Amino acid sequence: MDTEPKFFETNPTAGVVGQPVNRVDGRDKVTGRAKYAAEYNQLPGLVHAVIKTSDVAKGRITGFDTAAAMKQPGVLAILTYQNIPKLAKTPNDAEGKKAIGAPMGYLPLTDDQIYYAGQPVAVVVADTLERAQYAAALLKVQVAAEKPIASYEDPKAQLFDPEKIQDGKAAGHVKRGDAQAAFAAAPIQLTHKYTHAINHHSPMEPGATTAHWEAPDRLTIYESTQGVTRTQKAVSTMLGLSTEQVRVVTKYLGGGFGCKGSAWPHTILTVQAAKAVGRPVKLALTRPQMFTGMGHREDQTQTLRLGATKEGKLTALIHEKTATTSPWDNYTESNSKIVNMLYECPTFEASYQLARANVMTSTFTRAPGEAPGSFALESSMDDLAYQLGIDPIEIRLRNYAEKDPSTGQTWSSKSLRQCYARGAELFGWSKRNPKNGATRDGRLLVGWGMATASYPVHNSQGTARARLYADGHAVVQSGATDLGTGTYTVMTQVACDALGLPMEKVRFELGDTKLPTAPNSGGSVAAGTVSSSVYMAVQDVWQKLIKVAVLDKKSPLYRAKIADVEAKNGRLQLKADAKKGEGFADLMKRADLADVEGNGQGRYGSGYEDAQAAANADPSKKDEAAHHSMHSFGAHFCEVKVDPDLGTVRVTRWVSVHGAGRILNAKTARSQIIGGSIFGIGAALMEGTVRDQHFSRYTNASLADYHIPVNADIPEMTVEFVEEHDPYINAMGVKGIGEISMVGVSAAVANAVFHATGKRVRELPLTPDKILGAKAV
C-alpha cells in the first residue's frame, strides 16, 4: 500500500496554505486572553519568588544575614545553598550536564562559590511580589571577593584550543585542501579582523516560571520556553522524576531568539522554592537579570584570510575565531560553517581559540554562527569586489557554488541566483554608482550594499495528532511552541488544507507536554517539522477512513483498492474517477463513527526522503536520494545615509529576497523576514553589551542603555520569496526562515556604509565614533 505523502503532487493548488491569513490567535493577544507563563495567577495559594544576585563576579560566600529580611511580613522562606531542597542530579559534572541537556555546566545555589556577576545566591519567597522584593533588598550576603577575568582580552586570560565547540557537537578544526599554501600563492590576498560585540536577546517577555506541585511527585510548570519537551526532560532529570510526572505548559511566548531554548537556573530554582514552601510559586526575571540569567551572544573576534585570482575566483579561505567562554563550558558559535559552504573555493581551514572568564555561558542567539560568520565573509567579499573593480553581485556569481563545497553534496534546492536577480531588480541595483563616497543626498553620504544569506536545514522530527469529527470540525495537536511568529496560524492552515475544512472548523493546540512531542522552536526547524507532522497525522485519518469505505457495502467506494482512493477537499474518491466517492461525514455517520483519530511523524532534513524523488533517482544511487546538502538562501540589499560630521548611520531602504521552500503564510513569513532583518540591523548599528573589564559586570543591562531599534530607525521594508520546490526536506517542502532572516544583514549594512564613505569598519556595532575614526580603505 502506497501511503507515502506527496503533498505537492496531490495538492498543487492548496486552499489556504501560502495565503496571507490573519493570525488565529490575534484576538486573544489584543484582548489579553492569551496567557503567558507569569499570568497563571488563579493557582490556589500562589506566592512570589525573587532572586538575589551577586554583585561580584568571583569569590566565595562566607555567610548570610537573614534576620531583617525574615522579620518582614509575608516572607515565607529565604533559600540559599545551605537549605534549598536537594536535587537528584545537577549539571555540575559532565555526566549530569549531558543527562539534563543543560546549557551551562554549573547550577547556582549548589555551593558557596561565585563565578559571575549576577549569579543567583538566594531565592526569597513571600506572599506578594513587593514583599519578596523588599526582603531580598534587606538580605545581606557576605562575600570574600577575588579579582575576576572579564574576557579573552584580559591580560590574565589564557587562550586554549577547545578541539570541539558547542559542547562537543562540532569540530573545532576543519581542513579542506591546503589552504595555507593556496593563500600564500594567491595573487590577491586579504587578511582582516572582524569584531562582534556581546549581544543579548532582550525579548519582550522576560524569563518566567510558575511552578505548582500538585502532589509530592507530580509537578506542573508554566514556563517561558521555546521547547516544552526539552524543559520537561531537564527538570524531570534534575528532580529524579519520570517525564510523565512533570508537565510543562507554554501556550504563548513573548519572543525568545534562542535565550529560551534551554532550561536556565531560574526555572529549577522556582521549582525548588515551590517544594520548600508547599505552595505554587511564580518567579519572573527582572530586565537586568535577563542580561545575566539566560545567556548571550559571546564577544568574539574573527580573522579571515581570503585568497583569490585576479579574476576574483576564490582559492583559499582561512578562518580563525577567538571568543570568551565561561569557567566550565566550551560553548562558542560555529562561525566557520557558513564560510566553508557559501562559495566555491578549493581550500578551507578553520580553528578556534577560547578564554575562560567570569561570565555565564553564552548560548544560541538567532542564527548562531551564521550571523557573525557572514559578517566577516560578506564584508571580505565586498572588499574583494572593490579591489578588483567588480560589482559586488558579480563577485558572488563568479564564486557561485553549484554543490556544497564543504561536503561535495548536491543541493536539495537552491534559488540564490534568482534571489540576487530579483533583489537587484526591486532595489534598482543597476543604478548604483560603483565609486565609494560619490553619492550624496544634500550633505548626507548615500551608500548601497548587499550580502548573501544562508541557513542550514537541521535534522529534526516530531509528532502530531489529528481528530476529525463527524459533525465537520477537527482538533489537531502537537507539543510545539509558538514564539509569537505564527505557529498557531500556519499549522491551522496546513490542517485545513489537508482535511478539506474551512479554518473556522479547525482548532490547533500546542504548548503542552501532554500533547504529542515536537522539537524546540529554534534552529528554524519548527515550521518544517510540525507542518509535516500535522500533514502526516491527517493522512493517517484518511487511511483509516478509506479502509472503512472500501468495506462498506453502501459506500460508492465499496471493494475499491485502497491504493486507488484519494482524499480531496474532505471527500474520499477514486483517483481515476472523482465523481465516484463521498464526503467523510456521510461515511462516518453511516459507520456510527463520532470521530477518527490519526497520528503522524514528520521528519525534517536528511531523515526524510520523498517517494517520488527516490523513484526518480539513479538506480545505482538509490540510497543517496536523501543525501543532499539542505539550506535556505537569500540576499539582502540596503541603502544607508551617513552624516559625515556626526558619524550617524540611518538605514533608508531595505530589500530582502529569499528562497526558503514552500511558504506557509505570506503575511507571517514576511513578518519573520522583517523581524530578523531588524534584529540584524540592531546588531549592525547599535546593539552591544558592555562588560566592565575590571569587575566583569555589565554596565548597560537595561533597555534604556542597551540600544535596540525602534520604529523610527527602520524604513519600509520590501520582502519577497522566490518560488522553490524542495522534495528532499520534508513532506511539506517547507524550510524555516527565522534564522536566515538575519544572516548577512550586518554585512549588508556595513557594505552600504563602506560604499557611502569609502571607510571600512570591521567592528560591530557601527557606532558614530567608529565611523568617524575609520580610515579610508
Side-chain angles (χ1 to χ4, degrees):
M1 181 176 63
D2 181 11
T3 61
E4 181 71 24
K6 303 182 185 67
F7 189 96
F8 288 99
E9 288 75 16
T10 57
N11 293 273
T13 55
V16 293
V17 168
Q19 298 302 313
V21 174
N22 291 334
R23 292 173 184 264
V24 299
D25 56 333
R27 183 175 295 275
D28 284 349
K29 286 185 173 179
V30 299
T31 59
R33 285 200 300 264
K35 239 180 201 183
Y36 292 81
E39 296 181 327
Y40 288 85
N41 297 317
Q42 306 308 314
L43 295 174
L46 179 70
V47 294
H48 301 262
V50 168
I51 290 177
K52 177 82 170 181
T53 58
S54 172
D55 294 325
V56 304
K58 186 179 182 182
R60 184 175 62 84
I61 299 170
T62 58
F64 298 93
D65 182 354
T66 63
M70 283 302 297
K71 287 179 182 177
Q72 298 307 307
V75 174
L76 301 175
I78 296 177
L79 303 172
T80 70
Y81 76 93
Q82 297 170 333
N83 65 343
I84 196 165
K86 298 303 179 186
L87 298 170
K89 196 178 290 290
T90 74
N92 295 8
D93 57 62
E95 186 275 330
K97 183 182 179 186
K98 183 177 180 181
I100 295 165
M104 189 164 72
Y106 176 71
L107 181 65
L109 273 68
T110 53
D111 58 27
D112 62 357
Q113 296 298 304
I114 295 175
Y115 293 104
Y116 59 96
Q119 175 183 318
V121 293
V123 179
V124 179
V125 185
D127 59 354
T128 70
L129 175 60
E130 294 77 12
R131 285 174 168 175
Q133 290 171 330
Y134 184 54
L138 294 175
L139 173 63
K140 303 298 182 186
V141 183
Q142 288 94 37
V143 176
E146 300 174 40
K147 182 70 175 175
I149 293 176
S151 74
Y152 67 88
E153 296 180 306
D154 192 305
K156 299 188 297 299
Q158 296 181 352
L159 293 173
F160 69 94
D161 182 345
E163 296 185 3
K164 288 191 174 183
I165 57 173
Q166 291 187 317
D167 286 337
K169 296 174 185 174
H173 291 268
V174 177
K175 194 170 183 178
R176 179 164 52 80
D178 192 342
Q180 299 287 347
F183 179 79
I188 306 298
Q189 299 177 356
L190 300 179
T191 300
H192 293 296
K193 283 191 174 183
Y194 298 88
T195 302
H196 201 296
I198 304 164
N199 283 170
H200 276 85
H201 311 76
S202 299
M204 193 183 311
E205 179 201 21
T209 305
T210 302
H212 182 200
W213 286 92
E214 298 174 346
D217 62 350
R218 193 171 73 253
L219 171 69
T220 297
I221 305 171
Y222 303 94
E223 177 72 3
S224 183
T225 177
Q226 291 173 227
V228 293
T229 301
R230 182 177 290 181
T231 299
Q232 180 191 45
K233 177 197 173 187
V235 172
S236 62
T237 302
M238 285 189 274
L239 294 173
L241 298 175
S242 68
T243 53
E244 290 77 13
Q245 292 171 292
V246 177
R247 180 188 179 194
V248 181
V249 178
T250 306
K251 292 299 182 182
Y252 294 93
L253 201 70
F257 316 119
C259 74
K260 297 176 183 175
S262 304
W264 293 100
H266 70 271
T267 300
I268 192 63
L269 293 179
T270 308
V271 170
Q272 290 171 285
K275 174 66 81 172
V277 300
R279 295 168 68 173
V281 171
K282 176 168 73 174
L283 186 152
L285 297 182
T286 64
R287 185 57 59 180
Q289 287 172 350
M290 286 292 292
F291 284 77
T292 56
M294 301 185 76
H296 54 274
R297 173 167 276 145
E298 71 269 24
D299 41 327
Q300 55 187 277
T301 294
Q302 304 172 80
T303 300
L304 184 62
R305 287 187 280 167
L306 181 156
T309 67
K310 292 181 180 180
E311 294 72 38
K313 292 281 289 182
L314 295 175
T315 60
L317 287 167
I318 303 172
H319 182 269
E320 301 166 357
K321 177 181 175 180
T322 303
T324 302
T325 190
S326 67
W328 329 276
D329 302 310
N330 286 1
Y331 183 87
T332 190
E333 297 179 316
S334 55
N335 300 30
S336 61
K337 285 185 178 179
I338 192 167
V339 182
N340 192 12
M341 56 68 59
L342 194 53
Y343 298 110
E344 183 62 45
C345 184
T347 68
F348 172 80
E349 187 174 320
S351 61
Y352 293 79
Q353 289 191 106
L354 300 180
R356 301 203 180 283
N358 292 104
V359 300
M360 76 176 307
T361 304
S362 54
T363 193
F364 345 102
T365 308
R366 201 169 191 172
E370 280 76 14
S374 66
F375 171 59
L377 177 60
E378 290 300 278
S379 296
S380 290
M381 291 297 287
D382 214 57
D383 285 341
L384 179 62
Y386 174 77
Q387 184 165 330
L388 296 176
I390 299 172
D391 183 86
I393 296 179
E394 176 59 27
I395 200 73
R396 289 163 172 82
L397 290 172
R398 290 188 187 187
N399 293 282
Y400 194 88
E402 299 295 350
K403 291 185 177 182
D404 185 341
S406 67
T407 64
Q409 293 177 325
T410 301
W411 305 110
S412 61
S413 61
K414 184 177 182 181
S415 305
L416 184 54
R417 290 185 189 275
Q418 296 93 311
C419 294
Y420 287 150
R422 182 57 178 160
E425 179 185 5
L426 290 168
F427 194 79
W429 187 260
S430 61
K431 300 175 183 177
R432 177 181 182 268
N433 185 336
K435 187 177 180 182
N436 290 358
T439 307
R440 286 182 175 265
D441 179 7
R443 54 182 295 276
L444 300 178
L445 298 169
V446 180
W448 290 6
M450 59 81 58
T452 309
S454 181
Y455 194 76
V457 169
H458 295 299
N459 295 339
S460 181
Q461 68 179 37
T463 53
R465 179 165 54 235
R467 182 169 290 174
L468 177 64
Y469 291 85
D471 66 2
H473 82 279
V475 176
V476 183
Q477 302 169 316
S478 179
T481 306
D482 191 333
L483 275 161
T485 50
T487 304
Y488 275 112
T489 306
V490 296
M491 298 311 156
T492 302
Q493 290 175 260
V494 171
C496 286
D497 273 5
L499 289 164
L501 296 175
M503 287 194 65
E504 61 271 17
K505 294 292 186 179
V506 176
R507 184 173 78 251
F508 180 69
E509 297 178 348
L510 53 65
D512 194 326
T513 49
K514 285 190 172 182
L515 303 178
T517 58
N520 266 29
S521 286
S524 291
V525 304
T529 307
V530 181
S531 66
S532 295
S533 300
V534 168
Y535 179 73
M536 295 292 285
V538 173
Q539 302 315 303
D540 191 34
V541 169
W542 290 132
Q543 286 298 314
K544 289 176 178 177
L545 284 175
I546 289 171
K547 290 178 182 178
V548 173
V550 299
L551 295 174
D552 184 353
K553 294 180 180 179
K554 295 183 179 180
S555 172
L557 300 171
Y558 179 55
R559 289 186 173 177
K561 292 182 179 179
I562 291 175
D564 293 340
V565 181
E566 64 180 355
K568 272 196 174 183
N569 300 321
R571 272 176 53 85
L572 300 177
Q573 60 193 36
L574 288 179
K575 295 176 182 178
D577 183 5
K579 293 180 181 179
K580 195 169 184 179
E582 64 179 325
F584 71 86
D586 293 336
L587 173 66
M588 290 176 69
K589 289 173 184 175
R590 201 167 54 246
D592 198 25
L593 290 172
D595 59 80
V596 176
E597 182 181 290
N599 294 276
Q601 182 180 76
R603 290 185 174 88
Y604 183 51
S606 61
Y608 172 76
E609 183 174 336
D610 177 86
Q612 194 61 42
N616 293 338
D618 183 331
S620 65
K621 298 182 178 181
K622 283 282 188 182
D623 58 347
E624 298 179 16
H627 296 168
H628 290 71
S629 183
M630 302 177 180
H631 288 255
S632 297
F633 291 94
H636 301 290
F637 293 79
C638 172
E639 178 186 85
V640 299
K641 292 184 179 178
V642 181
D643 188 314
D645 300 316
L646 301 178
T648 54
V649 179
R650 293 191 67 83
V651 175
T652 49
R653 280 200 302 133
W654 190 267
V655 170
S656 288
V657 179
H658 294 275
R662 188 173 198 173
I663 301 303
L664 294 173
N665 183 311
K667 182 180 291 188
T668 58
R670 179 176 178 270
S671 293
Q672 274 272 57
I673 300 298
I674 289 174
S677 297
I678 293 171
F679 204 101
I681 291 170
L685 296 180
M686 58 192 74
E687 291 190 47
T689 320
V690 179
R691 190 185 296 136
D692 184 282
Q693 291 299 303
H694 297 288
F695 300 102
S696 196
R697 289 196 299 241
Y698 295 123
T699 63
N700 61 333
S702 72
L703 289 183
D705 299 305
Y706 181 86
H707 294 167
I708 60 174
V710 297
N711 285 350
D713 297 311
I714 303 299
E716 180 70 21
M717 291 181 154
T718 300
V719 173
E720 280 195 12
F721 296 94
V722 299
E723 188 173 341
E724 186 176 79
H725 176 188
D726 192 320
Y728 297 105
I729 50 174
N730 51 59
M732 290 288 294
V734 172
K735 298 178 181 178
I737 55 177
E739 257 82 15
I740 193 177
S741 53
M742 76 163 296
V743 179
V745 170
S746 294
V749 175
N751 292 341
V753 170
F754 176 52
H755 180 241
T757 64
K759 299 176 179 180
R760 172 64 71 179
V761 183
R762 297 185 174 88
E763 183 179 354
L764 296 181
L766 307 175
T767 47
D769 57 311
K770 296 166 190 167
I771 303 295
L772 294 174
K775 295 180 180 179
V777 175

